[in-house]
Amino acid sequence: AQSVAQPEDQVNVAEGNPLTVKCTYSVSGNPYLFWYVQYPNRGLQFLLKYITGDNLVKGSYGFEAEFNKSQTSFHLKKPSALVSDSALYFCAVRDPKTYKYIFGTGTRLKVLA
Amino acid sequence: SAVISQKPSRDICQRGTSLTIQCQVDSQVTMMFWYRQQPGQSLTLIATANQGSEATYESGFVIDKFPISRPNLTFSTLTVSNMSPEDSSIYLCSARTGGGGETQYFGPGTRLLVL
């Protein structure tokens, strides 16, 4: 079965430090991978996606993610965290058979001033 | 991209009543979805709203409880029927654009509290 895992419920990082939010996946075939962010009392906002091509994908708000096929990972990164980055982050993979998105359990990012 | 709006943004309802949530997309989209999310939790897909035909429901969700309409390519409604406190949740509308675009966009959500 297709699945996606976010092993960390919460990540704390100091403002100005680099941040990483982890995501691993299990899917047959070539994966379509996505990252979303959810601020309090808001819907999900699309950050970036990997479908094909360069393994390093750049997205909104200075975020990027690296697709690693051998490790089946798609970690979200940012070189310098901002307090305003504090939010709930979701990784998702598209099921190649049903075309439905499978969401991870979410990782709460807290950036400390 | 697609900009999605939902109405109402929040509501407090009495048990046994029904609430209809509206979802409007600013452009024609191929697929529309309804999700449920407990605050701070992951998303659970309720159903895929099919234009001009009955919605496709996920396991654990039935049409009698969550009737869905999609009369055209930009609009859908979800009704939460005969509500109980267990229905208190955030309901999210989502849409996927066509033309090979795989990105799925989300509305701001409807926060429902059932007393």
Side-chain angles (χ1 to χ4, degrees), chain A residues 32-95:
Chain A
Y32 286 22
L33 295 157
F34 307 83
W35 275 103
Y36 288 85
V37 60
Q38 186 176 34
Y39 297 99
N41 300 313
R42 303 284 293 276
L44 274 70
Q45 295 181 32
F46 169 72
L47 279 178
L48 51 79
K49 66 181 176 184
Y50 172 84
I51 294 179
T52 187
D54 195 348
N55 289 346
L56 184 63
V57 179
K58 294 189 183 297
S60 306
Y61 312 121
F63 284 94
E64 57 189 28
E66 186 170 11
F67 170 65
N68 187 317
K69 189 172 184 178
S70 63
Q71 296 185 6
T72 62
S73 67
F74 189 56
H75 300 334
L76 181 70
K77 300 182 180 184
K78 188 174 182 181
S80 178
L82 300 172
V83 172
S84 57
D85 293 329
S86 299
L88 186 57
Y89 290 81
F90 289 99
C91 180
V93 64
R94 191 194 76 164
D95 186 317

Side-chain angles (χ1 to χ4, degrees), chain B residues 1-49:
Chain B
S1 66
V3 177
I4 302 173
S5 58
Q6 286 183 235
K7 287 194 297 187
S9 59
R10 59 179 66 237
D11 208 341
I12 301 173
C13 300
Q14 298 297 319
R15 68 170 68 210
T17 63
S18 298
L19 176 71
T20 296
I21 303 168
Q22 298 181 7
C23 175
Q24 180 72 55
V25 189
D26 70 340
S27 58
Q28 292 186 347
V29 292
T30 54
M31 302 178 78
M32 294 183 74
F33 307 89
W34 287 97
Y35 289 83
R36 186 167 70 182
Q37 182 189 28
Q38 296 295 331
Q41 304 295 316
S42 190
L43 284 71
T44 300
L45 179 63
I46 298 172
T48 302

Side-chain angles (χ1 to χ4, degrees), chain B residues 51-112:
Chain B
Q51 193 261 329
S53 64
E54 192 171 288
T56 305
Y57 290 85
E58 298 299 304
S59 176
F61 297 96
V62 296
I63 187 171
D64 290 345
K65 176 67 176 177
F66 297 100
I68 288 171
S69 78
R70 190 181 171 191
N72 57 50
L73 292 175
T74 64
F75 185 79
S76 178
T77 67
L78 167 74
T79 298
V80 186
S81 302
N82 189 24
M83 288 184 285
S84 67
E86 292 71 35
D87 294 320
S88 298
S89 191
I90 301 167
Y91 292 86
L92 293 161
C93 175
S94 181
R96 200 180 297 176
T97 57
E102 292 296 335
T103 304
Q104 199 162 308
Y105 297 92
F106 287 82
T110 295
R111 282 147 187 81
L112 173 62

